[in-house]
Amino acid sequence: GTGFAGYNGDDQPASLAALNYPMSIVIDTRHGDLYISELYNHRVRKIDGNTMIISTVMGTGISTCDSSLVTYEGPATSLNLCNPLGLAMDSRKGVLYYSDRSYVIRKLWLNNGTIERIAGNGRDGCLDGGLLTSQFGSLFSMVLSHDGNSIYIFDVTYHCVRLVD
């Protein structure tokens, strides 16, 4: 990054790219790529581990914090994000997990650029239960279990660590 908040495009050296409130960073250990969630650019960006070129892998740059985000599944670069927060990487499966303030957890399939919701009903709350009926607050941090089958998430709104499996 340049050290100045903003957005000045993709497909350029990462050292020349403006970032806007980076929240989380993970590495894809298979390829050496870095993934960064940007709260105020409403994007998740990738820095290619070989070329050091930055690009957007999720988000349009437009914030949409409404219920239309909850059930969206499809191309990741067509989704308006709601303040991207936590990231977790499963390099073995080629999956990037993502949370934002739409109160859901999604996974991005890196091989085809599509996303799907894996947990949360889109309403703020602290409710366990079925994966798609559970409720979360602000999920700032998450990490995969050693076997990659579960995600531990830190919910700062409700002061707890939650398990999604």
Side-chain angles (χ1 to χ4, degrees), residues 29-91:
T29 56
R30 286 184 325 166
H31 301 107
D33 300 331
L34 296 174
Y35 292 85
I36 303 165
S37 64
E38 289 186 77
L39 186 70
Y40 296 131
N41 276 340
H42 312 291
R43 300 171 188 271
V44 175
R45 297 171 83 188
K46 174 181 116 175
I47 299 174
D48 185 286
N50 293 317
T51 65
M52 301 306 288
I53 299 295
I54 194 166
S55 60
T56 297
V57 295
M58 188 183 306
T60 63
I62 299 169
S63 175
T64 304
C65 296
D66 64 31
S67 60
S68 68
L69 290 177
V70 174
T71 58
Y72 177 88
E73 295 187 359
T77 53
S78 296
L79 174 64
N80 295 339
L81 302 183
C82 179
N83 305 115
L85 298 170
L87 298 175
M89 174 63 70
D90 186 337
S91 294

Side-chain angles (χ1 to χ4, degrees), residues 105 118-120 126-132 134-136 139 141-155 160-165:
I105 299 171
I118 63 164
C126 186
L127 177 66
D128 292 331
L131 289 176
L132 299 183
S134 56
Q135 292 179 339
F136 305 107
L139 307 176
S141 182
M142 61 175 96
V143 65
L144 288 179
S145 62
H146 73 283
D147 62 6
N149 293 325
S150 303
I151 305 171
Y152 293 93
I153 54 176
F154 179 57
D155 188 330
C160 61
V161 175
R162 311 266 307 270
L163 174 65
V164 175
D165 61 356

